[in-house]
Each structure stands twice: as C-alpha cells, then as structure tokens.
Amino acid sequence: MIDAERPTFYEFFAGGGMVRAGLGDGWRCLFANDFDAGKAAAYRANWDRAAPSVLTCGDIRAVDARDLPGVADLAWASFPCQDLSLAGGGAGLDGARSGAFHPFWAIMKDLAAEGRAPRIVALENVTGALSSHGGADFDAICRAFAENGYRYGALVVDAALFVPQSRPRLFVIGVRDDIPLAAASLSASPVEPFHTRALQAAHARISATARNSWLWWSLPLPARRNTVFADLVEDDPQGVRWHDPSETMKILGQMSPSNRAKVDAARRAGRRMVGAVYRRTRVENGEKRQRAEVRFDDLAGCLRTPAGGSSRQLILIVDGDRIRSRLISARETARLMGLDEAYQLPQNYNAAYHLTGDGVAAPVVRHLAQHLFEPILKRRLPGAVEAA
C-alpha cells in the first residue's frame, strides 16, 4: 500500500508511541507531540529515526494548527489523567495537567476554522473522568464534540480483554458530521461491557446539547485472551533482582489477614502461582498503615507511573513453601501494554516504567481501529468499494 492510500493521524500526548503501535503500519503519522523529553526520545528511537521528524517535543500550548500538515483522518489525544483520576486531587479539567485538554481542543477548533477538521477525534483517559466534578467535566468534553461538528460516543474498554492487565479506560470517539456512518458501527442502545453502568449514568447527566449528538458505538468483543500474567513473567529478568528472603518476609508482613489468606491458598494450590502486589496506604483504626495487597487472578494490577516505591508493582511467586518476590521488570511492563519484544525501552528502569505505565494498551487501539476507525474511513480511501 502506498503512502497516499494509508489513513493518516495526529498523535497528541504521544508518549512512547503506543497508539502508533496499535494503529500499525497501515496508518501514516503526520504529526506527534509530547512535552516529556524522555518519552520523546523513546518515540524517536522506535518510530521516527528519519529526518525531518514528525515529533515535536514541547508543551501543547505552544503547538499551532499551522504546525500540523494536511487533513488527518484521525486525531488521537491521551491527555493527562492525574486531575481526573479517583486517586488525584480532584482538580479535573481545571487542573494544570488534565487541563491540557483545553489547548488540544483549541487546536481542533483552529483546524476546523481552516477547513481541516480531522475526520475522527479520539480521546483516551481514566474512567474517573466520568464522575469528575459530579459529571461536569465529562459534560464539558461531550459539549466540545457536539458544539464543533462531531457526532460522538464513549466506550469503556478494559485492556484485560487483550492482555493480562486490569486497565479499564474511557475512550470518547467523535466523527465529523459530514462522514457517513455504517449501521454496523452503531447500536440503538447501550450494550455492556463497553457501555458500563458508570458510563450510562454519566450519559444521563450530560446536557441536552451534548445528548443531541450522542451515539452508542457498537464494538464487538475480541477473541478470548489466551495468555495469563505468569506467561509474561521472566525467571531471569533484566534490570531487576530477586529480593532476598528478608525483603520478601517484609512484604508478607505488610499484608492484611485477608491478603495473607490469599498467599496461604496459593501455597496449597499444588502449582506455581504468580501474584501481583501493590503497596498502598490504608487507614485502619484511625491510623495510616502501609499494606501490601496481592492478587492471584492471573492478571497484573493496572500499571501506574512510579511516584515513590509504593507505586511500583511487585511480583510474588508462590511454589509450595517457596516464596519469591521482586519488582516487575521493564520488559514485563511493556508486554502488559501489548508491545512486541522489538520495542526499545529506555535504559533507566524508572524511565521505562514511567513510559509504559503512562501509555495506552496497543491492542485496544488496534481493536478500535479495526472495528470503528477503518470501517468508517474505508469509503473515502482510494479503491474503496461501497457496501451494498
């Protein structure tokens, strides 16, 4: 397929290019942006070695619509989630980080004023965006689509459908009003699991203006996942070491009785059990305590960006009476994001963890592209044949 035949995209808040990984070689990137120099270096190492670069490293507030070439088929924005997260400070779209949505949308409006509005705009964020500020932030996002010439809808997709990591994320997808939609892309009403009860409740709270342009996207379930967390775990990892017994005992000592019971059950399982552990601060009897919380459900916990030792995920391997622990390796985190073994990670562990923990799972992007973006765009691509 020649370049002119490939759909094109802009990638905002690009990180290490996991959206690009998910879209695949059938798509062509026209422009990418991220403010983090470390992430930009990883992006260029994996995707953008040629000159001139499509990646601009800098604050999105300094990006001008004139910097973006052509008319993109897709503009993707995984804008910062910290102020929308349930674990964040609650600043929402008024926050210094999640507020980056506003300059992004200003660029979309400028492109529209020039007659270059992207055909599809896709936003990705945490599900906390549905309830932030009592739903007002979600309504603001919805009105941005509705008031600027897009029909749109939202989906909640858990990466656990594709990779062994619990990672539900909100995707708001808008299609320009003049782009025809196939009936197969739409549902007459919400359908779980992608239209969760939380999403339906958020939809019920949005304004009449926003609701007038709302669509319920139809997305098929993927084939059943055939991998578990243990499949991705290495016996001889690079960049991390197995803890000595005293460190493992300290982790076990930080567990509540219910979590210790999980470990005891794993010891009696009669097979090697691989668990994922996060340290969390809990309030018990009015006092804060650091607890180690483990899961043995064949899933890793949701990767997060490291902000102190408590947020780095640990691996606990139980094989009868033998119990071992260590930090999850950078390569294991990349596998949990659906990146292939050739993906180049930063040499520094924290930088690599930050890169993967702050990204979007590539197989989720591929599923959205295959079942929504590409069917919507196929009628305008060269050589496309109209469906009967």
Side-chain angles (χ1 to χ4, degrees):
M1 180 181 288
I2 63 172
D3 272 2
E5 294 177 324
R6 291 192 293 169
T8 57
F9 67 101
Y10 305 140
E11 188 176 8
F12 291 88
F13 313 101
M18 294 178 207
V19 170
R20 189 163 177 171
L23 290 175
D25 292 339
W27 288 69
R28 180 165 57 100
C29 185
L30 299 178
F31 175 88
N33 170 257
D34 200 280
F35 80 100
D36 186 294
K39 292 178 181 177
Y43 189 99
R44 290 187 175 116
N46 284 282
W47 310 111
D48 200 22
R49 301 183 188 93
S53 173
V54 300
L55 178 71
T56 298
C57 183
D59 195 314
I60 191 172
R61 294 165 182 83
V63 175
D64 190 282
R66 291 171 294 184
D67 299 327
L68 280 63
V71 180
D73 291 303
L74 169 68
W76 182 289
S78 293
F79 65 100
C81 67
Q82 291 92 335
D83 299 311
L84 293 166
S85 170
L86 297 178
L93 290 184
D94 293 329
R97 294 165 294 185
S98 296
F101 166 77
H102 296 298
F104 162 75
W105 199 263
I107 295 169
M108 297 300 101
K109 292 174 71 172
D110 288 344
L111 288 171
E114 297 174 6
R116 297 195 293 129
R119 295 174 176 90
I120 301 173
V121 176
L123 306 179
E124 181 258 350
N125 215 285
V126 294
T127 57
L130 293 169
S131 56
S132 176
H133 287 171
D137 288 332
F138 184 62
D139 181 57
I141 292 169
C142 293
R143 284 188 289 105
F145 280 95
E147 294 170 359
N148 289 278
Y150 287 88
R151 292 160 295 166
Y152 73 99
L155 301 153
V156 174
V157 184
D158 192 338
L161 291 170
F162 305 88
V163 292
Q165 179 195 175
S166 173
R167 193 180 186 84
R169 288 295 185 266
L170 173 69
F171 299 86
V172 186
I173 299 165
V175 178
R176 216 172 60 195
D177 283 345
D178 62 315
I179 305 296
L181 297 174
S185 298
L186 304 173
S187 174
S189 59
V191 179
E192 295 191 42
F194 301 121
H195 304 136
T196 61
R197 293 183 181 182
L199 173 56
Q200 294 176 50
H203 169 260
R205 292 192 296 264
I206 63 176
S207 60
T209 298
R211 196 174 295 116
N212 287 339
S213 296
W214 180 275
L215 303 169
W216 292 109
W217 294 117
S218 177
L219 190 67
L221 282 168
R224 185 178 179 86
R225 173 172 51 83
N226 59 9
T227 58
V228 297
F229 183 36
D231 295 332
L232 310 187
V233 171
E234 302 166 307
D235 286 329
D236 186 20
Q238 298 295 311
V240 295
R241 62 171 181 81
W242 291 98
H243 292 155
D244 62 41
S246 64
E247 290 176 282
T248 299
M249 288 302 296
K250 181 179 179 181
I251 293 168
L252 295 174
Q254 291 176 325
M255 291 184 179
S256 66
S258 62
N259 279 272
R260 282 300 299 266
K262 294 180 187 178
V263 176
D264 291 339
R267 293 174 64 183
R268 298 191 299 269
R271 63 183 178 90
R272 179 176 178 262
M273 299 288 288
V274 178
V277 180
Y278 266 125
R279 288 191 177 104
R280 306 182 193 276
T281 300
R282 300 298 187 191
V283 178
E284 299 176 4
N285 300 319
E287 295 184 0
K288 290 184 177 180
R289 294 192 61 178
Q290 189 178 64
R291 287 297 194 183
E293 299 178 356
V294 64
R295 60 191 300 167
F296 289 101
D297 58 355
D298 290 330
L299 292 174
C302 182
L303 291 174
R304 298 177 291 164
T305 56
S310 63
S311 67
R312 295 171 178 84
Q313 193 162 182
L314 301 166
I315 291 174
L316 191 73
I317 295 185
V318 180
D319 195 354
D321 289 333
R322 187 187 187 204
I323 302 177
R324 295 186 295 161
S325 64
R326 62 169 170 83
L327 283 171
I328 191 171
S329 76
R331 181 55 60 187
E332 288 161 344
T333 69
R335 292 172 185 150
L336 288 172
M337 297 304 289
L339 298 170
D340 64 34
E341 299 298 301
Y343 186 90
Q344 296 183 45
L345 293 164
Q347 292 294 315
N348 178 272
Y349 177 82
N350 283 348
Y353 200 130
H354 184 73
L355 181 79
T356 55
D358 206 23
V360 55
V364 176
V365 179
R366 173 88 305 266
H367 196 67
L368 291 170
Q370 180 180 352
H371 296 287
L372 282 181
F373 306 158
E374 290 163 5
I376 288 168
L377 294 171
K378 71 178 181 179
R379 296 182 180 182
R380 61 157 293 276
L381 296 176
V385 177
E386 290 285 343

